[in-house]
């Protein structure tokens, strides 16, 4: 099976087909608005991928600057922005821990299903990686601004579960002072065949089989939301 890391490097279009189906009830935007105002904000989107959060926020914020380490993901992100008719956006390759952004220049940092990879992909130095990231957030954000993270609490689940591969990430967020809640971000597909194909493509055979067994054209997903005021 192709790993998620490989998908991010090579499968931008198919990945976009999947995440375009996510959160059909619009809970992500609603939750962000409950945490902090969006209007006139300069927003940094970390691990923007194909622009899931950046393109959603652009119509409402002052400016959005999207970052990712994958040129392939950002290729699709740029295409989406190019078709949007908006001009208040910028897209760049960057590591979460070293952003090409002036000190105290941003009003909001958002990141969906991405910052946790600092812990997952650095198993021996995950704490140092996370601390370096948080230090960078304190550098780029204006005082009183927010970091808002979205991370999985189980795809294919009606109720939240903590994933084994994020066992270091969840408690670290608590340790450094993040508040949290959970929301549903269910996927809504056009057909059972599409649901099965795209679920299997990214999440693997176990979830693909589960989609078929349950005839899921709406795939349940629980997502954690963590936020910290700087």
């Amino acid at each position: 099976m192709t790993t998620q890391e490989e998908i991010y490097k090579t499968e931008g279009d198919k990945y976009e087909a999947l995440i375009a189906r996510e959160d059909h009830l619009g809970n992500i935007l609603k939750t962000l608005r409950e945490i902090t105002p969006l209007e006139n904000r300069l927003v940094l989107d970390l691990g923007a991928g194909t622009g899931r959060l950046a393109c959603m926020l652009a119509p409402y914020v002052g400016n959005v600057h999207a970052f990712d380490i994958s040129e392939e993901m950002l290729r699709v992100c740029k295409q989406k922005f190019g078709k949007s008719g908006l001009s208040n956006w910028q897209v760049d390759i960057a590591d979460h821990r070293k952003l090409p952004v002036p000190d105290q220049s941003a009003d909001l940092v958002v990141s969906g299903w991405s910052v946790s990879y600092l812990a997952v992909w650095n198993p021996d130095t995950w704490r140092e990686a996370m601390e370096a990231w948080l230090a960078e957030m304190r550098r780029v954000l204006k005082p009183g601004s927010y970091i808002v993270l979205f991370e999985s609490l189980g795809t294919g689940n009606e109720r939240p579960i903590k994933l084994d591969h994020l066992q270091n990430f969840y408690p670290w967020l608590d340790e450094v002072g993040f508040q949290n809640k959970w929301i549903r971000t269910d996927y809504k597909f056009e057909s059972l065949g599409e649901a099965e194909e795209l679920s299997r493509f990214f999440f693997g055979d176990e979830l693909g089989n589960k989609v078929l067994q349950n005839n899921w054209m709406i795939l349940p997903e629980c997502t954690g939301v963590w936020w910290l005021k700087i």
Side-chain angles (χ1 to χ4, degrees):
M1 175 186 164
T2 304
T3 67
Q4 291 182 352
E5 189 171 4
E6 290 167 336
I7 287 170
Y8 293 140
K9 293 178 181 178
T10 62
E11 295 280 2
D13 294 317
K14 196 166 185 180
Y15 177 76
E16 168 61 21
L18 171 69
I19 61 98
R21 304 300 187 205
E22 188 180 28
D23 189 31
H24 74 101
L25 294 176
N27 288 328
I28 290 175
L29 182 60
K30 177 183 176 183
T31 301
L32 276 168
R33 287 192 176 282
E34 290 171 353
I35 295 170
T36 182
L38 300 178
E39 283 68 29
N40 303 313
R41 297 294 199 262
L42 170 58
V43 180
L44 310 181
D45 181 7
L46 309 185
T50 57
R52 175 76 182 85
L53 297 180
C55 293
M56 177 188 74
L57 289 172
Y60 307 104
V61 303
N63 288 276
V64 60
H65 198 159
F67 299 100
D68 203 285
I69 59 171
S70 169
E71 188 173 354
E72 168 67 3
M73 291 287 112
L74 293 181
R75 174 187 64 81
V76 179
C77 183
K78 289 177 185 177
Q79 287 179 350
K80 290 169 62 179
F81 269 129
K83 294 175 182 176
S84 72
L86 299 170
S87 59
N88 63 332
W89 57 273
Q90 186 175 345
V91 174
D92 283 303
I93 293 175
D95 185 283
H96 295 333
R97 295 159 291 183
K98 194 173 180 61
L99 301 176
V101 174
D103 293 355
Q104 297 187 0
S105 60
D107 302 295
L108 173 64
V109 166
V110 298
S111 185
W113 304 270
S114 181
V115 169
S116 61
Y117 284 118
L118 288 174
V120 175
W121 291 345
N122 298 282
D124 296 327
T125 57
W126 68 268
R127 182 174 290 275
E128 291 88 340
M130 295 302 306
E131 289 173 351
W133 165 76
L134 185 56
E136 181 71 342
M137 297 305 95
R138 295 185 186 282
R139 182 187 72 80
V140 301
L141 280 167
K142 298 174 184 176
S145 300
Y146 281 89
I147 306 167
V148 184
L149 306 180
F150 296 88
E151 188 50 72
S152 180
L153 289 173
T155 304
N157 294 82
E158 300 276 353
R159 300 288 299 177
I161 62 170
K162 291 191 174 180
L163 306 181
D164 289 343
H165 70 282
L166 299 180
Q167 60 182 331
N168 292 326
F169 183 68
Y170 301 126
W172 182 85
L173 292 173
D174 295 336
E175 181 183 318
V176 297
F178 278 82
Q179 300 180 69
N180 71 87
K181 62 181 288 186
W182 71 275
I183 59 175
R184 288 284 290 269
T185 53
D186 298 2
Y187 295 77
K188 185 176 182 179
F189 297 97
E190 294 186 349
S191 67
L192 181 60
E194 181 187 66
E196 185 263 336
E197 178 189 0
L198 292 177
S199 299
R200 192 179 301 277
F201 153 71
F202 188 72
F203 297 107
D205 289 337
E206 183 178 352
L207 187 58
N209 293 337
K210 193 174 180 180
V211 166
L212 286 180
Q213 291 164 5
N214 290 281
N215 292 309
W216 274 340
M217 287 176 58
I218 295 181
L219 172 62
E221 180 177 70
C222 298
T223 293
V225 187
W226 283 265
W227 66 95
L228 179 68
K229 189 174 185 179
I230 296 300

